[in-house]
Short mmCIF file of all heavy atoms in Angstrom, two decimals:
data_model
loop_
_atom_site.label_atom_id
_atom_site.label_comp_id
_atom_site.label_asym_id
_atom_site.label_seq_id
_atom_site.Cartn_x
_atom_site.Cartn_y
_atom_site.Cartn_z
N MET A 1 0.65 -13.25 -19.04
CA MET A 1 0.77 -11.95 -18.40
C MET A 1 -0.47 -11.08 -18.72
O MET A 1 -0.92 -11.04 -19.88
CB MET A 1 2.02 -11.19 -18.84
CG MET A 1 2.28 -9.89 -18.12
SD MET A 1 3.79 -9.08 -18.65
CE MET A 1 3.32 -8.59 -20.29
N PRO A 14 1.46 1.48 -17.18
CA PRO A 14 0.91 0.08 -17.13
C PRO A 14 1.23 -0.62 -15.81
O PRO A 14 2.21 -0.30 -15.16
CB PRO A 14 1.63 -0.58 -18.30
CG PRO A 14 2.97 0.12 -18.30
CD PRO A 14 2.72 1.52 -17.91
N ILE A 15 0.35 -1.58 -15.51
CA ILE A 15 0.61 -2.51 -14.40
C ILE A 15 0.65 -3.90 -15.07
O ILE A 15 -0.30 -4.33 -15.65
CB ILE A 15 -0.54 -2.51 -13.36
CG1 ILE A 15 -0.80 -1.12 -12.82
CG2 ILE A 15 -0.26 -3.51 -12.23
CD1 ILE A 15 -2.07 -0.98 -11.98
N TYR A 16 1.81 -4.56 -14.97
CA TYR A 16 2.01 -5.84 -15.56
C TYR A 16 1.85 -6.89 -14.44
O TYR A 16 2.45 -6.78 -13.38
CB TYR A 16 3.37 -6.00 -16.17
CG TYR A 16 3.66 -4.99 -17.26
CD1 TYR A 16 4.48 -3.92 -17.07
CD2 TYR A 16 3.11 -5.19 -18.57
CE1 TYR A 16 4.79 -3.02 -18.09
CE2 TYR A 16 3.36 -4.28 -19.58
CZ TYR A 16 4.21 -3.19 -19.30
OH TYR A 16 4.49 -2.29 -20.32
N ILE A 17 1.08 -7.93 -14.66
CA ILE A 17 0.81 -8.98 -13.68
C ILE A 17 1.09 -10.32 -14.32
O ILE A 17 0.50 -10.67 -15.33
CB ILE A 17 -0.66 -8.99 -13.19
CG1 ILE A 17 -1.04 -7.59 -12.60
CG2 ILE A 17 -0.83 -10.06 -12.12
CD1 ILE A 17 -2.52 -7.49 -12.29
N GLY A 18 2.08 -11.02 -13.75
CA GLY A 18 2.46 -12.33 -14.36
C GLY A 18 3.51 -12.99 -13.52
O GLY A 18 3.66 -12.72 -12.35
N LEU A 21 8.55 -11.90 -13.87
CA LEU A 21 8.77 -10.53 -14.41
C LEU A 21 10.08 -9.89 -13.93
O LEU A 21 10.64 -9.06 -14.57
CB LEU A 21 7.57 -9.66 -14.05
CG LEU A 21 6.19 -10.09 -14.54
CD1 LEU A 21 5.18 -8.98 -14.35
CD2 LEU A 21 6.23 -10.51 -16.01
N VAL A 22 10.55 -10.31 -12.72
CA VAL A 22 11.79 -9.73 -12.23
C VAL A 22 13.00 -10.07 -13.08
O VAL A 22 14.04 -9.37 -13.02
CB VAL A 22 12.11 -10.14 -10.76
CG1 VAL A 22 11.03 -9.64 -9.81
CG2 VAL A 22 12.24 -11.64 -10.64
N ASP A 24 12.59 -10.45 -16.55
CA ASP A 24 12.21 -10.16 -17.93
C ASP A 24 12.88 -8.87 -18.42
O ASP A 24 12.31 -7.77 -18.34
CB ASP A 24 10.68 -10.03 -18.02
CG ASP A 24 10.16 -10.06 -19.45
OD1 ASP A 24 10.92 -9.62 -20.36
OD2 ASP A 24 9.01 -10.46 -19.69
N LEU A 27 10.94 -6.67 -21.10
CA LEU A 27 9.83 -5.88 -20.56
C LEU A 27 10.35 -4.76 -19.70
O LEU A 27 9.87 -3.59 -19.83
CB LEU A 27 8.94 -6.82 -19.76
CG LEU A 27 7.68 -6.17 -19.12
CD1 LEU A 27 6.69 -5.72 -20.22
CD2 LEU A 27 6.98 -7.18 -18.18
N LEU A 28 11.30 -5.02 -18.83
CA LEU A 28 11.78 -4.00 -17.92
C LEU A 28 12.50 -2.86 -18.69
O LEU A 28 12.30 -1.68 -18.39
CB LEU A 28 12.74 -4.61 -16.87
CG LEU A 28 12.11 -5.58 -15.87
CD1 LEU A 28 13.18 -6.49 -15.24
CD2 LEU A 28 11.40 -4.80 -14.74
N ARG A 29 13.31 -3.21 -19.63
CA ARG A 29 14.14 -2.23 -20.28
C ARG A 29 13.36 -1.20 -21.09
O ARG A 29 13.80 -0.06 -21.29
CB ARG A 29 15.16 -2.94 -21.20
CG ARG A 29 16.28 -3.58 -20.44
CD ARG A 29 17.18 -4.41 -21.41
NE ARG A 29 18.18 -5.15 -20.64
CZ ARG A 29 19.41 -4.68 -20.38
NH1 ARG A 29 19.73 -3.47 -20.77
NH2 ARG A 29 20.26 -5.42 -19.69
N GLN A 30 12.18 -1.58 -21.54
CA GLN A 30 11.43 -0.64 -22.38
C GLN A 30 10.93 0.55 -21.52
O GLN A 30 10.44 1.56 -22.09
CB GLN A 30 10.25 -1.30 -23.05
CG GLN A 30 9.17 -1.83 -22.14
CD GLN A 30 8.05 -2.55 -22.91
OE1 GLN A 30 7.08 -1.89 -23.31
NE2 GLN A 30 8.18 -3.86 -23.06
N HIS A 31 11.06 0.48 -20.20
CA HIS A 31 10.64 1.56 -19.37
C HIS A 31 11.80 2.34 -18.73
O HIS A 31 11.61 3.10 -17.82
CB HIS A 31 9.72 1.04 -18.29
CG HIS A 31 8.42 0.46 -18.81
ND1 HIS A 31 7.41 1.23 -19.24
CD2 HIS A 31 8.07 -0.83 -19.01
CE1 HIS A 31 6.42 0.47 -19.65
NE2 HIS A 31 6.77 -0.77 -19.55
N VAL A 99 14.58 2.07 -9.07
CA VAL A 99 13.77 0.87 -9.16
C VAL A 99 13.52 0.39 -7.70
O VAL A 99 14.52 0.13 -6.98
CB VAL A 99 14.44 -0.23 -9.94
CG1 VAL A 99 13.55 -1.52 -9.97
CG2 VAL A 99 14.65 0.23 -11.40
N ALA A 100 12.28 0.23 -7.28
CA ALA A 100 11.93 -0.25 -5.95
C ALA A 100 11.62 -1.71 -6.02
O ALA A 100 10.70 -2.18 -6.68
CB ALA A 100 10.68 0.50 -5.47
N PHE A 123 10.83 6.41 -11.79
CA PHE A 123 10.98 5.23 -10.96
C PHE A 123 10.02 4.15 -11.37
O PHE A 123 8.96 4.40 -11.96
CB PHE A 123 10.93 5.58 -9.46
CG PHE A 123 9.53 5.54 -8.84
CD1 PHE A 123 9.15 4.51 -8.00
CD2 PHE A 123 8.65 6.63 -9.04
CE1 PHE A 123 7.91 4.52 -7.39
CE2 PHE A 123 7.42 6.61 -8.42
CZ PHE A 123 7.02 5.58 -7.57
N LEU A 124 10.41 2.90 -11.07
CA LEU A 124 9.66 1.70 -11.38
C LEU A 124 9.35 0.98 -10.09
O LEU A 124 10.18 0.95 -9.16
CB LEU A 124 10.41 0.76 -12.33
CG LEU A 124 10.98 1.35 -13.63
CD1 LEU A 124 11.75 0.26 -14.39
CD2 LEU A 124 9.88 1.92 -14.49
N GLN A 125 8.16 0.36 -9.99
CA GLN A 125 7.79 -0.41 -8.85
C GLN A 125 7.86 -1.90 -9.21
O GLN A 125 7.26 -2.34 -10.18
CB GLN A 125 6.35 -0.08 -8.45
CG GLN A 125 6.20 1.28 -7.76
CD GLN A 125 6.36 1.21 -6.28
OE1 GLN A 125 7.01 0.28 -5.74
NE2 GLN A 125 5.85 2.21 -5.58
N VAL A 126 8.58 -2.65 -8.38
CA VAL A 126 8.64 -4.11 -8.50
C VAL A 126 8.26 -4.69 -7.13
O VAL A 126 9.09 -5.08 -6.34
CB VAL A 126 10.00 -4.63 -8.95
CG1 VAL A 126 9.96 -6.12 -9.23
CG2 VAL A 126 10.51 -3.92 -10.18
N PRO A 127 6.92 -4.70 -6.81
CA PRO A 127 6.50 -5.07 -5.45
C PRO A 127 6.57 -6.58 -5.25
O PRO A 127 6.23 -7.38 -6.11
CB PRO A 127 5.06 -4.58 -5.42
CG PRO A 127 4.61 -4.64 -6.87
CD PRO A 127 5.84 -4.30 -7.66
N THR A 128 7.03 -6.94 -4.05
CA THR A 128 7.23 -8.38 -3.79
C THR A 128 6.40 -8.93 -2.66
O THR A 128 6.50 -10.08 -2.28
CB THR A 128 8.72 -8.65 -3.44
OG1 THR A 128 9.09 -7.87 -2.30
CG2 THR A 128 9.66 -8.30 -4.60
N GLN A 133 1.65 -5.30 -3.80
CA GLN A 133 1.13 -5.59 -5.12
C GLN A 133 -0.26 -5.06 -5.35
O GLN A 133 -0.58 -4.53 -6.44
CB GLN A 133 1.24 -7.10 -5.40
CG GLN A 133 2.63 -7.63 -5.57
CD GLN A 133 2.70 -9.12 -5.78
OE1 GLN A 133 1.66 -9.80 -5.75
NE2 GLN A 133 3.92 -9.64 -6.01
N SER A 137 1.94 -0.08 -4.33
CA SER A 137 2.70 0.15 -5.57
C SER A 137 1.92 0.89 -6.63
O SER A 137 2.49 1.41 -7.59
CB SER A 137 3.19 -1.20 -6.13
OG SER A 137 2.12 -1.97 -6.61
N ARG A 160 6.64 4.94 -13.45
CA ARG A 160 6.54 4.78 -14.94
C ARG A 160 5.87 3.47 -15.26
O ARG A 160 5.30 3.32 -16.37
CB ARG A 160 7.96 4.82 -15.55
CG ARG A 160 8.67 6.12 -15.35
CD ARG A 160 7.97 7.32 -16.01
NE ARG A 160 8.02 7.21 -17.44
CZ ARG A 160 7.46 8.10 -18.29
NH1 ARG A 160 6.79 9.10 -17.75
NH2 ARG A 160 7.51 7.97 -19.52
N ALA A 161 6.00 2.45 -14.35
CA ALA A 161 5.34 1.17 -14.61
C ALA A 161 5.39 0.40 -13.29
O ALA A 161 6.28 0.65 -12.44
CB ALA A 161 6.00 0.38 -15.71
N VAL A 162 4.51 -0.57 -13.17
CA VAL A 162 4.50 -1.49 -12.00
C VAL A 162 4.62 -2.92 -12.52
O VAL A 162 3.83 -3.32 -13.46
CB VAL A 162 3.18 -1.31 -11.21
CG1 VAL A 162 3.22 -2.28 -10.03
CG2 VAL A 162 3.02 0.11 -10.78
N PHE A 163 5.54 -3.68 -12.02
CA PHE A 163 5.74 -5.08 -12.42
C PHE A 163 5.38 -6.03 -11.25
O PHE A 163 6.14 -6.11 -10.30
CB PHE A 163 7.20 -5.24 -12.84
CG PHE A 163 7.66 -4.33 -13.96
CD1 PHE A 163 8.16 -3.12 -13.57
CD2 PHE A 163 7.54 -4.65 -15.28
CE1 PHE A 163 8.59 -2.21 -14.57
CE2 PHE A 163 7.93 -3.79 -16.25
CZ PHE A 163 8.46 -2.56 -15.88
N ILE A 164 4.30 -6.68 -11.36
CA ILE A 164 3.78 -7.57 -10.28
C ILE A 164 4.15 -9.00 -10.64
O ILE A 164 3.50 -9.60 -11.51
CB ILE A 164 2.30 -7.39 -10.05
CG1 ILE A 164 1.99 -5.97 -9.57
CG2 ILE A 164 1.78 -8.39 -9.01
CD1 ILE A 164 0.56 -5.67 -9.33
N ASP A 165 5.16 -9.53 -10.02
CA ASP A 165 5.59 -10.91 -10.25
C ASP A 165 4.98 -11.80 -9.16
O ASP A 165 5.40 -11.75 -8.01
CB ASP A 165 7.11 -10.99 -10.20
CG ASP A 165 7.67 -12.32 -10.62
OD1 ASP A 165 6.96 -13.31 -10.48
OD2 ASP A 165 8.83 -12.39 -11.07
N LEU A 166 3.94 -12.50 -9.54
CA LEU A 166 3.22 -13.38 -8.59
C LEU A 166 4.11 -14.42 -7.98
O LEU A 166 3.83 -14.93 -6.88
CB LEU A 166 2.02 -13.96 -9.24
CG LEU A 166 0.97 -12.99 -9.77
CD1 LEU A 166 -0.12 -13.75 -10.57
CD2 LEU A 166 0.30 -12.28 -8.61
#
Side-chain angles (χ1 to χ4, degrees):
M1 184 179 71
I15 305 168
Y16 301 104
I17 304 171
L21 301 190
V22 295
D24 192 331
L27 182 65
L28 291 160
R29 285 173 185 269
Q30 65 181 273
H31 295 283
V99 179
F123 88 105
L124 307 178
Q125 287 271 20
V126 187
T128 59
Q133 290 178 357
S137 68
R160 299 296 293 178
V162 180
F163 304 88
I164 296 176
D165 188 333
L166 297 172

